[in-house]
Amino acid sequence: MAIDKYEIVIGCEIHTQLLTKTKAFCACENRYGGMPDTRVCPVCLGLPGAMPRVSEGYVELGAVAGQALNCNIARFTKFDRKHYFYPDLAKGYQITQYDIPLCSDGHVDLPFSHYPKDEQPGGAKCRDKNFKGEDCIIDGKYRRVRIERIHLEEDVGKSLHIEGKHSYIDYNRCGTPLIEIVTKPDMTSPEEAALFMQTVQEILRYVKVTKGNLEEGNMRCDANINLNVWEDGKLYHTPISEIKNLNSFRAIKEACAYEAKRQLQEFIDDRQEFNPGFKVTMGWDEDKGQTVVQRTKNSFVDYRFVVEPDIKPFSVSEELISTAASKVGELPEAKRNRYKKEFGLSDFDAETLTSSRELALWFEEAIKDAKSAKRVANLILSELLAVLNEKNMSILDVALSPKHITELANALEESKITSKQGKEVFADMLATNKMPSEIIKEKGMEIVSDAGAIEKIVDEVIAANPKAVADYKSGKTNVVGWLMGQVMKQSQGKANPKQATELVSKKLAAL
């Protein structure tokens, strides 16, 4: 018996906390951290008689996420109860959505340019008889991952374990509004799964649905992975492993890579017919770098789903859907492509300027009255972001306005100041918040571009340096640069360098 080939099959379930002011079904503040069990009430603790009520903005934010991820939004939906018993679930059931999710049939397109250089997108591996392999590749530039559904639900409490001593439950997180994004099993490598989550994080941050901080648990991923193995012409499917609560891109990549190798070795060692309904829930031990079995499922788990009796099924208005769509706007990949096409920016520059929605909007404001968008981009990238990175600040923290950069970029583009003077103006601008025109005037920096005035200085320099002229006539052309330096010195650095260079060369050639 010999293995002909194998392929990895990955689907993701991403849980994302929403940026509502209050929790999903009560008025408790929706905020990370703080003293345990201080932001709770009878509703999120599931006390008898407490009645949930859908918070304002909860459904709309879910619809914004759905629009941003190219989903259809349901015109009618409902909440359901999912029953299970676990210490961090105070009520004994979770309010979620079962058979009528808010969003369905979406997709995310992963740019080939974002894949690791040695990782080729698996374009021919979409596993659906109604979804041909070539349909996975969009415009020859993107690999499409389909989203089956996005549903609304509430988060549970947080278990805190002190090794060898006690375990505690912090119920502050109970009732935090979530969306769960469930994909089709379209991903074909650990790297692709990590890239998918990065792309989703970027999009949802852009549309202000979530903070997306993995370290705070704002986003968590469960990865479902198994292998298709061909041995002597026969196809086998290894059992699906669900790796729970992966909270970093590195963890997603490393956990899936380890699990794929483990499943392949198990197949080689056991040589058995696997039960296609068998599923294993795994945890990821980051210290040991391996997956750990938590529990097995060899039959359907009955969560006893019932319609949530305390929240009526409801219609989603066209107005809400329209409002949600208006909040999406231009997404980062579309911006990148536009910046490269319209402004001639490099891939790196376009990526950096679209790294956050706030920075992109700041840049777009700065180029409205600019002579050169590329000049504005260069100033932001080389000067402004260097300062922000050094001080660990965001574009929202800076006192300068986009108009400051516009004015400085125009002064440089029109050769009113030199690039060296531009750096000096930028430093003063940052320290004083004065407009560039004011700084240039105060310091007498403005370049002289009057042809007559420059010509007079050039004539005086040439007349005062006959030896340099003789050297030029004897073939020493490098004296042009030296004479230029004299012109700039005599003009106190104010002569337009381009005009002065042309005049020096012209005058010497005519002698």
Side-chain angles (χ1 to χ4, degrees), residues 301-335:
V301 177
D302 185 7
Y303 289 113
R304 295 185 296 119
F305 281 101
V306 296
V307 176
E308 170 56 58
D310 294 333
I311 302 174
K312 290 182 179 180
F314 57 96
S315 296
V316 180
S317 69
E318 295 298 329
E319 182 183 359
L320 184 147
I321 294 171
S322 177
T323 301
S326 70
K327 291 184 177 181
V328 173
E330 188 179 38
L331 294 174
E333 181 62 16
K335 278 191 185 294

PDB file of all heavy atoms in Angstrom, residues 301-335:
ATOM      1  N   VAL A 301     -24.270  15.770  18.357  1.00  0.00           N
ATOM      2  CA  VAL A 301     -24.446  16.357  19.689  1.00  0.00           C
ATOM      3  C   VAL A 301     -25.770  17.104  19.712  1.00  0.00           C
ATOM      4  O   VAL A 301     -26.003  18.006  18.905  1.00  0.00           O
ATOM      5  CB  VAL A 301     -23.283  17.320  20.019  1.00  0.00           C
ATOM      6  CG1 VAL A 301     -23.515  17.971  21.387  1.00  0.00           C
ATOM      7  CG2 VAL A 301     -21.961  16.562  20.012  1.00  0.00           C
ATOM      8  N   ASP A 302     -26.658  16.741  20.619  1.00  0.00           N
ATOM      9  CA  ASP A 302     -27.977  17.358  20.692  1.00  0.00           C
ATOM     10  C   ASP A 302     -27.940  18.560  21.630  1.00  0.00           C
ATOM     11  O   ASP A 302     -27.912  18.418  22.857  1.00  0.00           O
ATOM     12  CB  ASP A 302     -29.011  16.337  21.186  1.00  0.00           C
ATOM     13  CG  ASP A 302     -30.423  16.913  21.164  1.00  0.00           C
ATOM     14  OD1 ASP A 302     -30.598  18.039  20.645  1.00  0.00           O
ATOM     15  OD2 ASP A 302     -31.342  16.233  21.655  1.00  0.00           O
ATOM     16  N   TYR A 303     -27.903  19.735  21.033  1.00  0.00           N
ATOM     17  CA  TYR A 303     -27.912  20.960  21.831  1.00  0.00           C
ATOM     18  C   TYR A 303     -29.334  21.406  22.176  1.00  0.00           C
ATOM     19  O   TYR A 303     -29.519  22.447  22.777  1.00  0.00           O
ATOM     20  CB  TYR A 303     -27.187  22.087  21.077  1.00  0.00           C
ATOM     21  CG  TYR A 303     -25.692  21.907  20.996  1.00  0.00           C
ATOM     22  CD1 TYR A 303     -25.066  21.664  19.779  1.00  0.00           C
ATOM     23  CD2 TYR A 303     -24.905  21.993  22.143  1.00  0.00           C
ATOM     24  CE1 TYR A 303     -23.684  21.517  19.704  1.00  0.00           C
ATOM     25  CE2 TYR A 303     -23.520  21.841  22.071  1.00  0.00           C
ATOM     26  CZ  TYR A 303     -22.925  21.605  20.845  1.00  0.00           C
ATOM     27  OH  TYR A 303     -21.564  21.461  20.781  1.00  0.00           O
ATOM     28  N   ARG A 304     -30.316  20.620  21.766  1.00  0.00           N
ATOM     29  CA  ARG A 304     -31.725  20.933  22.054  1.00  0.00           C
ATOM     30  C   ARG A 304     -32.062  22.379  21.666  1.00  0.00           C
ATOM     31  O   ARG A 304     -32.549  23.168  22.458  1.00  0.00           O
ATOM     32  CB  ARG A 304     -32.046  20.673  23.534  1.00  0.00           C
ATOM     33  CG  ARG A 304     -31.939  19.213  23.921  1.00  0.00           C
ATOM     34  CD  ARG A 304     -32.365  18.958  25.357  1.00  0.00           C
ATOM     35  NE  ARG A 304     -31.485  19.623  26.321  1.00  0.00           N
ATOM     36  CZ  ARG A 304     -31.897  20.555  27.180  1.00  0.00           C
ATOM     37  NH1 ARG A 304     -33.172  20.932  27.208  1.00  0.00           N
ATOM     38  NH2 ARG A 304     -31.052  21.108  28.016  1.00  0.00           N
ATOM     39  N   PHE A 305     -31.755  22.729  20.422  1.00  0.00           N
ATOM     40  CA  PHE A 305     -32.079  24.074  19.939  1.00  0.00           C
ATOM     41  C   PHE A 305     -33.584  24.311  19.984  1.00  0.00           C
ATOM     42  O   PHE A 305     -34.378  23.470  19.538  1.00  0.00           O
ATOM     43  CB  PHE A 305     -31.604  24.248  18.489  1.00  0.00           C
ATOM     44  CG  PHE A 305     -30.133  24.523  18.356  1.00  0.00           C
ATOM     45  CD1 PHE A 305     -29.246  23.515  17.991  1.00  0.00           C
ATOM     46  CD2 PHE A 305     -29.628  25.800  18.588  1.00  0.00           C
ATOM     47  CE1 PHE A 305     -27.893  23.763  17.850  1.00  0.00           C
ATOM     48  CE2 PHE A 305     -28.271  26.063  18.452  1.00  0.00           C
ATOM     49  CZ  PHE A 305     -27.403  25.045  18.081  1.00  0.00           C
ATOM     50  N   VAL A 306     -33.967  25.426  20.538  1.00  0.00           N
ATOM     51  CA  VAL A 306     -35.372  25.860  20.493  1.00  0.00           C
ATOM     52  C   VAL A 306     -35.377  27.355  20.190  1.00  0.00           C
ATOM     53  O   VAL A 306     -34.400  28.059  20.449  1.00  0.00           O
ATOM     54  CB  VAL A 306     -36.115  25.603  21.827  1.00  0.00           C
ATOM     55  CG1 VAL A 306     -36.191  24.127  22.131  1.00  0.00           C
ATOM     56  CG2 VAL A 306     -35.448  26.349  22.981  1.00  0.00           C
ATOM     57  N   VAL A 307     -36.469  27.831  19.641  1.00  0.00           N
ATOM     58  CA  VAL A 307     -36.600  29.267  19.407  1.00  0.00           C
ATOM     59  C   VAL A 307     -36.572  29.997  20.741  1.00  0.00           C
ATOM     60  O   VAL A 307     -37.235  29.575  21.698  1.00  0.00           O
ATOM     61  CB  VAL A 307     -37.914  29.578  18.653  1.00  0.00           C
ATOM     62  CG1 VAL A 307     -38.092  31.092  18.495  1.00  0.00           C
ATOM     63  CG2 VAL A 307     -37.917  28.899  17.290  1.00  0.00           C
ATOM     64  N   GLU A 308     -35.781  31.064  20.838  1.00  0.00           N
ATOM     65  CA  GLU A 308     -35.704  31.850  22.066  1.00  0.00           C
ATOM     66  C   GLU A 308     -37.086  32.427  22.387  1.00  0.00           C
ATOM     67  O   GLU A 308     -37.596  33.272  21.640  1.00  0.00           O
ATOM     68  CB  GLU A 308     -34.669  32.975  21.906  1.00  0.00           C
ATOM     69  CG  GLU A 308     -34.656  34.013  23.001  1.00  0.00           C
ATOM     70  CD  GLU A 308     -34.455  33.415  24.381  1.00  0.00           C
ATOM     71  OE1 GLU A 308     -33.438  32.728  24.616  1.00  0.00           O
ATOM     72  OE2 GLU A 308     -35.339  33.645  25.233  1.00  0.00           O
ATOM     73  N   PRO A 309     -37.723  31.969  23.474  1.00  0.00           N
ATOM     74  CA  PRO A 309     -39.103  32.383  23.749  1.00  0.00           C
ATOM     75  C   PRO A 309     -39.236  33.824  24.246  1.00  0.00           C
ATOM     76  O   PRO A 309     -40.322  34.399  24.162  1.00  0.00           O
ATOM     77  CB  PRO A 309     -39.550  31.393  24.837  1.00  0.00           C
ATOM     78  CG  PRO A 309     -38.281  30.988  25.523  1.00  0.00           C
ATOM     79  CD  PRO A 309     -37.224  30.990  24.467  1.00  0.00           C
ATOM     80  N   ASP A 310     -38.148  34.399  24.758  1.00  0.00           N
ATOM     81  CA  ASP A 310     -38.239  35.735  25.331  1.00  0.00           C
ATOM     82  C   ASP A 310     -37.902  36.850  24.339  1.00  0.00           C
ATOM     83  O   ASP A 310     -37.932  38.032  24.685  1.00  0.00           O
ATOM     84  CB  ASP A 310     -37.309  35.858  26.548  1.00  0.00           C
ATOM     85  CG  ASP A 310     -37.748  34.949  27.698  1.00  0.00           C
ATOM     86  OD1 ASP A 310     -38.959  34.661  27.767  1.00  0.00           O
ATOM     87  OD2 ASP A 310     -36.884  34.535  28.487  1.00  0.00           O
ATOM     88  N   ILE A 311     -37.508  36.467  23.103  1.00  0.00           N
ATOM     89  CA  ILE A 311     -37.231  37.465  22.048  1.00  0.00           C
ATOM     90  C   ILE A 311     -38.019  37.051  20.808  1.00  0.00           C
ATOM     91  O   ILE A 311     -37.782  35.986  20.240  1.00  0.00           O
ATOM     92  CB  ILE A 311     -35.729  37.547  21.710  1.00  0.00           C
ATOM     93  CG1 ILE A 311     -34.906  37.891  22.959  1.00  0.00           C
ATOM     94  CG2 ILE A 311     -35.483  38.596  20.625  1.00  0.00           C
ATOM     95  CD1 ILE A 311     -33.400  37.847  22.740  1.00  0.00           C
ATOM     96  N   LYS A 312     -38.921  37.881  20.393  1.00  0.00           N
ATOM     97  CA  LYS A 312     -39.761  37.538  19.242  1.00  0.00           C
ATOM     98  C   LYS A 312     -38.940  37.494  17.952  1.00  0.00           C
ATOM     99  O   LYS A 312     -38.021  38.292  17.776  1.00  0.00           O
ATOM    100  CB  LYS A 312     -40.877  38.572  19.074  1.00  0.00           C
ATOM    101  CG  LYS A 312     -41.945  38.540  20.149  1.00  0.00           C
ATOM    102  CD  LYS A 312     -43.019  39.585  19.846  1.00  0.00           C
ATOM    103  CE  LYS A 312     -44.126  39.564  20.893  1.00  0.00           C
ATOM    104  NZ  LYS A 312     -45.163  40.583  20.596  1.00  0.00           N
ATOM    105  N   PRO A 313     -39.255  36.555  17.045  1.00  0.00           N
ATOM    106  CA  PRO A 313     -38.676  36.636  15.700  1.00  0.00           C
ATOM    107  C   PRO A 313     -38.974  38.015  15.107  1.00  0.00           C
ATOM    108  O   PRO A 313     -40.011  38.610  15.409  1.00  0.00           O
ATOM    109  CB  PRO A 313     -39.405  35.524  14.936  1.00  0.00           C
ATOM    110  CG  PRO A 313     -39.810  34.547  16.005  1.00  0.00           C
ATOM    111  CD  PRO A 313     -40.144  35.390  17.207  1.00  0.00           C
ATOM    112  N   PHE A 314     -38.084  38.524  14.276  1.00  0.00           N
ATOM    113  CA  PHE A 314     -38.253  39.908  13.829  1.00  0.00           C
ATOM    114  C   PHE A 314     -37.845  40.076  12.369  1.00  0.00           C
ATOM    115  O   PHE A 314     -37.074  39.286  11.815  1.00  0.00           O
ATOM    116  CB  PHE A 314     -37.444  40.858  14.709  1.00  0.00           C
ATOM    117  CG  PHE A 314     -35.963  40.540  14.769  1.00  0.00           C
ATOM    118  CD1 PHE A 314     -35.063  41.190  13.928  1.00  0.00           C
ATOM    119  CD2 PHE A 314     -35.473  39.599  15.663  1.00  0.00           C
ATOM    120  CE1 PHE A 314     -33.706  40.903  13.985  1.00  0.00           C
ATOM    121  CE2 PHE A 314     -34.121  39.300  15.738  1.00  0.00           C
ATOM    122  CZ  PHE A 314     -33.224  39.958  14.888  1.00  0.00           C
ATOM    123  N   SER A 315     -38.382  41.120  11.765  1.00  0.00           N
ATOM    124  CA  SER A 315     -38.030  41.485  10.388  1.00  0.00           C
ATOM    125  C   SER A 315     -36.850  42.454  10.408  1.00  0.00           C
ATOM    126  O   SER A 315     -36.732  43.288  11.306  1.00  0.00           O
ATOM    127  CB  SER A 315     -39.219  42.142   9.691  1.00  0.00           C
ATOM    128  OG  SER A 315     -40.293  41.230   9.574  1.00  0.00           O
ATOM    129  N   VAL A 316     -36.009  42.333   9.408  1.00  0.00           N
ATOM    130  CA  VAL A 316     -34.876  43.252   9.237  1.00  0.00           C
ATOM    131  C   VAL A 316     -35.275  44.239   8.152  1.00  0.00           C
ATOM    132  O   VAL A 316     -35.491  43.861   6.996  1.00  0.00           O
ATOM    133  CB  VAL A 316     -33.591  42.497   8.850  1.00  0.00           C
ATOM    134  CG1 VAL A 316     -32.423  43.466   8.689  1.00  0.00           C
ATOM    135  CG2 VAL A 316     -33.266  41.432   9.905  1.00  0.00           C
ATOM    136  N   SER A 317     -35.392  45.500   8.508  1.00  0.00           N
ATOM    137  CA  SER A 317     -35.922  46.495   7.576  1.00  0.00           C
ATOM    138  C   SER A 317     -34.926  46.827   6.470  1.00  0.00           C
ATOM    139  O   SER A 317     -33.708  46.699   6.634  1.00  0.00           O
ATOM    140  CB  SER A 317     -36.279  47.786   8.325  1.00  0.00           C
ATOM    141  OG  SER A 317     -35.102  48.432   8.785  1.00  0.00           O
ATOM    142  N   GLU A 318     -35.474  47.264   5.340  1.00  0.00           N
ATOM    143  CA  GLU A 318     -34.631  47.711   4.229  1.00  0.00           C
ATOM    144  C   GLU A 318     -33.804  48.923   4.647  1.00  0.00           C
ATOM    145  O   GLU A 318     -32.675  49.114   4.181  1.00  0.00           O
ATOM    146  CB  GLU A 318     -35.498  48.060   3.013  1.00  0.00           C
ATOM    147  CG  GLU A 318     -36.239  46.881   2.402  1.00  0.00           C
ATOM    148  CD  GLU A 318     -35.287  45.818   1.878  1.00  0.00           C
ATOM    149  OE1 GLU A 318     -34.164  46.158   1.450  1.00  0.00           O
ATOM    150  OE2 GLU A 318     -35.676  44.623   1.889  1.00  0.00           O
ATOM    151  N   GLU A 319     -34.367  49.732   5.527  1.00  0.00           N
ATOM    152  CA  GLU A 319     -33.646  50.903   6.014  1.00  0.00           C
ATOM    153  C   GLU A 319     -32.396  50.487   6.791  1.00  0.00           C
ATOM    154  O   GLU A 319     -31.314  51.069   6.614  1.00  0.00           O
ATOM    155  CB  GLU A 319     -34.558  51.746   6.920  1.00  0.00           C
ATOM    156  CG  GLU A 319     -33.892  53.028   7.431  1.00  0.00           C
ATOM    157  CD  GLU A 319     -34.786  53.798   8.377  1.00  0.00           C
ATOM    158  OE1 GLU A 319     -35.936  53.357   8.636  1.00  0.00           O
ATOM    159  OE2 GLU A 319     -34.341  54.853   8.862  1.00  0.00           O
ATOM    160  N   LEU A 320     -32.538  49.470   7.662  1.00  0.00           N
ATOM    161  CA  LEU A 320     -31.380  48.996   8.416  1.00  0.00           C
ATOM    162  C   LEU A 320     -30.316  48.428   7.474  1.00  0.00           C
ATOM    163  O   LEU A 320     -29.114  48.707   7.636  1.00  0.00           O
ATOM    164  CB  LEU A 320     -31.809  47.927   9.424  1.00  0.00           C
ATOM    165  CG  LEU A 320     -30.715  47.396  10.366  1.00  0.00           C
ATOM    166  CD1 LEU A 320     -31.289  47.037  11.727  1.00  0.00           C
ATOM    167  CD2 LEU A 320     -30.005  46.175   9.774  1.00  0.00           C
ATOM    168  N   ILE A 321     -30.740  47.669   6.488  1.00  0.00           N
ATOM    169  CA  ILE A 321     -29.792  47.069   5.539  1.00  0.00           C
ATOM    170  C   ILE A 321     -29.092  48.156   4.731  1.00  0.00           C
ATOM    171  O   ILE A 321     -27.878  48.108   4.498  1.00  0.00           O
ATOM    172  CB  ILE A 321     -30.519  46.078   4.611  1.00  0.00           C
ATOM    173  CG1 ILE A 321     -31.030  44.881   5.430  1.00  0.00           C
ATOM    174  CG2 ILE A 321     -29.611  45.599   3.490  1.00  0.00           C
ATOM    175  CD1 ILE A 321     -31.931  43.948   4.664  1.00  0.00           C
ATOM    176  N   SER A 322     -29.845  49.180   4.318  1.00  0.00           N
ATOM    177  CA  SER A 322     -29.269  50.294   3.562  1.00  0.00           C
ATOM    178  C   SER A 322     -28.268  51.071   4.420  1.00  0.00           C
ATOM    179  O   SER A 322     -27.190  51.450   3.949  1.00  0.00           O
ATOM    180  CB  SER A 322     -30.391  51.218   3.082  1.00  0.00           C
ATOM    181  OG  SER A 322     -29.862  52.336   2.418  1.00  0.00           O
ATOM    182  N   THR A 323     -28.625  51.304   5.683  1.00  0.00           N
ATOM    183  CA  THR A 323     -27.719  52.006   6.601  1.00  0.00           C
ATOM    184  C   THR A 323     -26.440  51.208   6.805  1.00  0.00           C
ATOM    185  O   THR A 323     -25.331  51.766   6.813  1.00  0.00           O
ATOM    186  CB  THR A 323     -28.407  52.242   7.962  1.00  0.00           C
ATOM    187  OG1 THR A 323     -29.578  53.016   7.766  1.00  0.00           O
ATOM    188  CG2 THR A 323     -27.475  52.972   8.920  1.00  0.00           C
ATOM    189  N   ALA A 324     -26.592  49.899   6.963  1.00  0.00           N
ATOM    190  CA  ALA A 324     -25.414  49.032   7.140  1.00  0.00           C
ATOM    191  C   ALA A 324     -24.508  49.099   5.916  1.00  0.00           C
ATOM    192  O   ALA A 324     -23.278  49.198   6.043  1.00  0.00           O
ATOM    193  CB  ALA A 324     -25.856  47.593   7.398  1.00  0.00           C
ATOM    194  N   ALA A 325     -25.093  49.066   4.728  1.00  0.00           N
ATOM    195  CA  ALA A 325     -24.298  49.124   3.496  1.00  0.00           C
ATOM    196  C   ALA A 325     -23.535  50.442   3.392  1.00  0.00           C
ATOM    197  O   ALA A 325     -22.375  50.478   2.957  1.00  0.00           O
ATOM    198  CB  ALA A 325     -25.211  48.940   2.282  1.00  0.00           C
ATOM    199  N   SER A 326     -24.181  51.531   3.819  1.00  0.00           N
ATOM    200  CA  SER A 326     -23.534  52.850   3.729  1.00  0.00           C
ATOM    201  C   SER A 326     -22.334  52.962   4.664  1.00  0.00           C
ATOM    202  O   SER A 326     -21.451  53.794   4.452  1.00  0.00           O
ATOM    203  CB  SER A 326     -24.545  53.956   4.042  1.00  0.00           C
ATOM    204  OG  SER A 326     -24.900  53.944   5.423  1.00  0.00           O
ATOM    205  N   LYS A 327     -22.307  52.142   5.716  1.00  0.00           N
ATOM    206  CA  LYS A 327     -21.201  52.194   6.668  1.00  0.00           C
ATOM    207  C   LYS A 327     -20.005  51.361   6.235  1.00  0.00           C
ATOM    208  O   LYS A 327     -18.950  51.411   6.863  1.00  0.00           O
ATOM    209  CB  LYS A 327     -21.683  51.726   8.050  1.00  0.00           C
ATOM    210  CG  LYS A 327     -22.653  52.703   8.704  1.00  0.00           C
ATOM    211  CD  LYS A 327     -23.051  52.270  10.098  1.00  0.00           C
ATOM    212  CE  LYS A 327     -23.971  53.302  10.749  1.00  0.00           C
ATOM    213  NZ  LYS A 327     -24.362  52.922  12.121  1.00  0.00           N
ATOM    214  N   VAL A 328     -20.166  50.598   5.172  1.00  0.00           N
ATOM    215  CA  VAL A 328     -19.058  49.763   4.698  1.00  0.00           C
ATOM    216  C   VAL A 328     -18.054  50.601   3.911  1.00  0.00           C
ATOM    217  O   VAL A 328     -16.873  50.647   4.217  1.00  0.00           O
ATOM    218  CB  VAL A 328     -19.575  48.587   3.836  1.00  0.00           C
ATOM    219  CG1 VAL A 328     -18.418  47.831   3.203  1.00  0.00           C
ATOM    220  CG2 VAL A 328     -20.414  47.647   4.699  1.00  0.00           C
ATOM    221  N   GLY A 329     -18.536  51.312   2.895  1.00  0.00           N
ATOM    222  CA  GLY A 329     -17.639  52.153   2.107  1.00  0.00           C
ATOM    223  C   GLY A 329     -16.623  51.332   1.321  1.00  0.00           C
ATOM    224  O   GLY A 329     -16.786  50.126   1.113  1.00  0.00           O
ATOM    225  N   GLU A 330     -15.551  52.008   0.901  1.00  0.00           N
ATOM    226  CA  GLU A 330     -14.499  51.357   0.116  1.00  0.00           C
ATOM    227  C   GLU A 330     -13.603  50.542   1.047  1.00  0.00           C
ATOM    228  O   GLU A 330     -13.065  51.061   2.022  1.00  0.00           O
ATOM    229  CB  GLU A 330     -13.671  52.422  -0.607  1.00  0.00           C
ATOM    230  CG  GLU A 330     -12.675  51.862  -1.594  1.00  0.00           C
ATOM    231  CD  GLU A 330     -11.894  52.947  -2.315  1.00  0.00           C
ATOM    232  OE1 GLU A 330     -11.545  53.959  -1.662  1.00  0.00           O
ATOM    233  OE2 GLU A 330     -11.638  52.797  -3.518  1.00  0.00           O
ATOM    234  N   LEU A 331     -13.442  49.269   0.749  1.00  0.00           N
ATOM    235  CA  LEU A 331     -12.665  48.374   1.600  1.00  0.00           C
ATOM    236  C   LEU A 331     -11.170  48.448   1.248  1.00  0.00           C
ATOM    237  O   LEU A 331     -10.797  48.938   0.181  1.00  0.00           O
ATOM    238  CB  LEU A 331     -13.201  46.951   1.469  1.00  0.00           C
ATOM    239  CG  LEU A 331     -14.624  46.770   2.026  1.00  0.00           C
ATOM    240  CD1 LEU A 331     -15.150  45.371   1.730  1.00  0.00           C
ATOM    241  CD2 LEU A 331     -14.667  47.046   3.531  1.00  0.00           C
ATOM    242  N   PRO A 332     -10.310  47.960   2.148  1.00  0.00           N
ATOM    243  CA  PRO A 332      -8.864  48.184   1.975  1.00  0.00           C
ATOM    244  C   PRO A 332      -8.281  47.694   0.661  1.00  0.00           C
ATOM    245  O   PRO A 332      -7.454  48.378   0.050  1.00  0.00           O
ATOM    246  CB  PRO A 332      -8.244  47.455   3.175  1.00  0.00           C
ATOM    247  CG  PRO A 332      -9.336  46.662   3.793  1.00  0.00           C
ATOM    248  CD  PRO A 332     -10.607  47.320   3.428  1.00  0.00           C
ATOM    249  N   GLU A 333      -8.681  46.515   0.196  1.00  0.00           N
ATOM    250  CA  GLU A 333      -8.100  46.002  -1.051  1.00  0.00           C
ATOM    251  C   GLU A 333      -8.479  46.880  -2.234  1.00  0.00           C
ATOM    252  O   GLU A 333      -7.659  47.149  -3.119  1.00  0.00           O
ATOM    253  CB  GLU A 333      -8.552  44.553  -1.284  1.00  0.00           C
ATOM    254  CG  GLU A 333      -7.988  43.907  -2.541  1.00  0.00           C
ATOM    255  CD  GLU A 333      -6.472  43.792  -2.557  1.00  0.00           C
ATOM    256  OE1 GLU A 333      -5.835  43.935  -1.496  1.00  0.00           O
ATOM    257  OE2 GLU A 333      -5.927  43.552  -3.653  1.00  0.00           O
ATOM    258  N   ALA A 334      -9.722  47.351  -2.260  1.00  0.00           N
ATOM    259  CA  ALA A 334     -10.152  48.259  -3.332  1.00  0.00           C
ATOM    260  C   ALA A 334      -9.375  49.576  -3.266  1.00  0.00           C
ATOM    261  O   ALA A 334      -8.988  50.140  -4.305  1.00  0.00           O
ATOM    262  CB  ALA A 334     -11.655  48.522  -3.223  1.00  0.00           C
ATOM    263  N   LYS A 335      -9.137  50.084  -2.060  1.00  0.00           N
ATOM    264  CA  LYS A 335      -8.347  51.312  -1.900  1.00  0.00           C
ATOM    265  C   LYS A 335      -6.929  51.111  -2.415  1.00  0.00           C
ATOM    266  O   LYS A 335      -6.379  51.967  -3.118  1.00  0.00           O
ATOM    267  CB  LYS A 335      -8.298  51.725  -0.424  1.00  0.00           C
ATOM    268  CG  LYS A 335      -9.509  52.504   0.064  1.00  0.00           C
ATOM    269  CD  LYS A 335      -9.261  53.087   1.438  1.00  0.00           C
ATOM    270  CE  LYS A 335     -10.503  53.764   1.986  1.00  0.00           C
ATOM    271  NZ  LYS A 335     -10.885  54.953   1.223  1.00  0.00           N
TER     272      LYS A 335
END
